Amino acid sequence: MKPVAFDYARPETQEEALDLLAEHGSDAVLLAGGMSLGPMLNLRLVKPSMVVDIGGVTGLAAFGTVAGTVATGALLRQSDAMENRDLVSALPLLGLALPWVGHVQTRNRGTLGGSIAHADPSAEIPLCLATLNGQVALRSRRGRRSVTARDFFLGMLTTARGPDEMVVALEWPEAGPGEGFAFEEIAQRHGDFAIAASACRARIEDGALAAITVGLAGVEDRPVVFEFDEFSSDPPDDPDLPVELAEFISQGVEPLSDQAASAAHRRMLARNLAGRTVAAAIKDAQVTP
Amino acid sequence: MSVLHRKSSERHRIELTVNGTARVGHAEPRMLLSDFLRHELGCYGVHVGCEHGVCGACTIIRDGSAQRSCTQYAVQADGAEIRTVEGLSNGQELTALQAAFKRHHALQCGFCTAGILMSASVFLESHKNPTESEIREMLSGHLCRCTDYHGMVQAILEVAGSDSEDE
């Protein structure tokens, strides 16, 4: 199997990469870890005239926390993120989701930013960023901007990134006091594309439930997010609550239908996975100081 | 700082280390690393199955970690340190892992085995006392259509156990 013939450029700095993008625009593709783009190239689903390999660009693989926002460089590898205790404790939801991202053999090259830029509707990292209401930092020669993840994903493999822009970082809200998290996924085989996945953040304040956010991937053509901040009863351990929210969510989605699952099957998966993650996230929040 | 440019129509010199030996070959930018290792360097133990990152047959150890070689390109591997299945045995003398695979019937046709041995070898370097579930998680990145993976799990557990007794 061979991709189309392409010119290859390997910049060393962000500025060089942005110059190449400004010059070649949508004729060029950015190659980071290549775990999504590689298959797309090999299957000739993308036929670029130039591949810009940003794998060696300096300064894009670090992470740091400033004022409650964790910024992860676009080239931070999935396996390095998963094994970093500081990062996983600041972003527990990402820590729960990463073991579901492909396999160790792909996580060893795959990057956080690459998964975001690729925007597969079933992907775990976009789901987490959208659920937490994080942002995607983009740079071009025109300047720098941040787009909320919920506005970034426009559809199947389609994002708000302009042809001259590069994803440089992801900006995640750090886990706060009283917050709990859960992640669940159904795939044909662990590591395959999710047929459906659910992420949840629950927040307890003064012993009462204050907010619940539920995100779903694999159900629609992009991550979908539901926010709840009013509850009919306050006790966090009300067993009816996850069932009620899950029912509401399953009626609120417009599921895809494909060879992996029908729309009706996905609606059922959305309900069951949402219910499970809500219950588990509340439980987690109850033990979080 | 400068940009390295490689033209699509030309074959470019690639220098890398394979199983401890410095090697040189040539590749146009679109050449998969798996094809480069096989056809330029003669490492036919690198098997190509799906060629889009799913099956794991082409798994190699690059710079110390198990990676697919079909979803990267030879031009990206200039200067890399690569290990393939050819680097495991010393002539007819199998490694402990290869011998355990044989003993536990962890292979039948052998097509997937070259990649699995590479994943398992590097896994055992960082997991001195692995659990069965850790082994199965690592193996989930490989497809085997002959066996049921059970023999592989037994073989890897046995090798890990013998390692920890030696220490």
Side-chain angles (χ1 to χ4, degrees), chain A residues 6-12 16-17 20-21 23-24 28-31 49-57, chain B residues 2-8 29 75-76:
Chain A
F6 54 74
D7 288 335
Y8 173 88
R10 187 161 67 219
E12 293 181 358
E16 289 166 352
L20 286 161
L21 278 182
E23 186 184 344
H24 297 277
V29 291
L30 289 177
L31 176 65
S49 59
M50 170 171 278
V51 169
V52 179
D53 178 5
I54 56 170
V57 168
Chain B
S2 65
V3 181
L4 177 88
H5 283 280
R6 293 285 182 248
K7 272 194 161 21
S8 65
V75 281
Q76 293 178 277

Side-chain angles (χ1 to χ4, degrees), chain B residues 51-105:
Chain B
E51 292 186 85
H52 64 289
V54 175
C55 77
C58 70
T59 301
I60 53 159
I61 299 172
R62 174 180 173 170
D63 301 325
S65 75
Q67 299 181 5
R68 307 287 196 238
S69 61
C70 71
T71 44
Q72 39 191 313
Y73 301 95
V75 281
Q76 293 178 277
D78 202 21
E81 164 118 31
I82 284 168
R83 286 152 69 191
T84 68
V85 72
E86 284 91 347
L88 290 183
S89 69
N90 182 8
Q92 292 298 306
E93 194 184 318
L94 300 179
T95 63
L97 183 66
Q98 287 173 309
F101 263 55
K102 185 178 173 190
R103 206 160 41 247
H104 288 276
H105 305 289

Side-chain angles (χ1 to χ4, degrees), chain A residues 1 3 6 31-43 51 53 77 105-110, chain B residues 29-35 37 46-60 62 66-77:
Chain A
M1 204 182 299
F6 54 74
L31 176 65
M35 294 299 101
S36 298
L37 183 61
M40 301 276 287
L41 285 166
N42 293 2
L43 296 164
V51 169
D53 178 5
R77 292 208 194 276
Q105 297 86 352
T106 61
R107 290 192 297 264
N108 282 339
R109 282 193 76 74
Chain B
R30 65 170 165 172
M31 188 176 219
L32 310 186
L33 178 58
S34 47
D35 285 341
L37 291 169
V46 178
H47 290 176
V48 290
C50 72
E51 292 186 85
H52 64 289
V54 175
C55 77
C58 70
T59 301
I60 53 159
R62 174 180 173 170
Q67 299 181 5
R68 307 287 196 238
S69 61
C70 71
T71 44
Q72 39 191 313
Y73 301 95
V75 281
Q76 293 178 277

Side-chain angles (χ1 to χ4, degrees), chain B residues 110-151:
Chain B
F111 193 84
C112 67
T113 314
I116 291 171
L117 286 170
M118 301 323 287
S119 278
S121 297
V122 76
F123 171 84
L124 284 167
E125 288 168 15
S126 59
H127 295 75
K128 291 299 175 197
N129 210 351
T131 64
E132 182 169 335
S133 78
E134 286 173 329
I135 294 170
R136 289 188 183 275
E137 156 76 24
M138 175 274 293
L139 287 174
S140 77
H142 293 274
L143 288 178
C144 171
R145 301 290 79 162
C146 300
T147 76
D148 58 0
Y149 302 93
H150 187 68

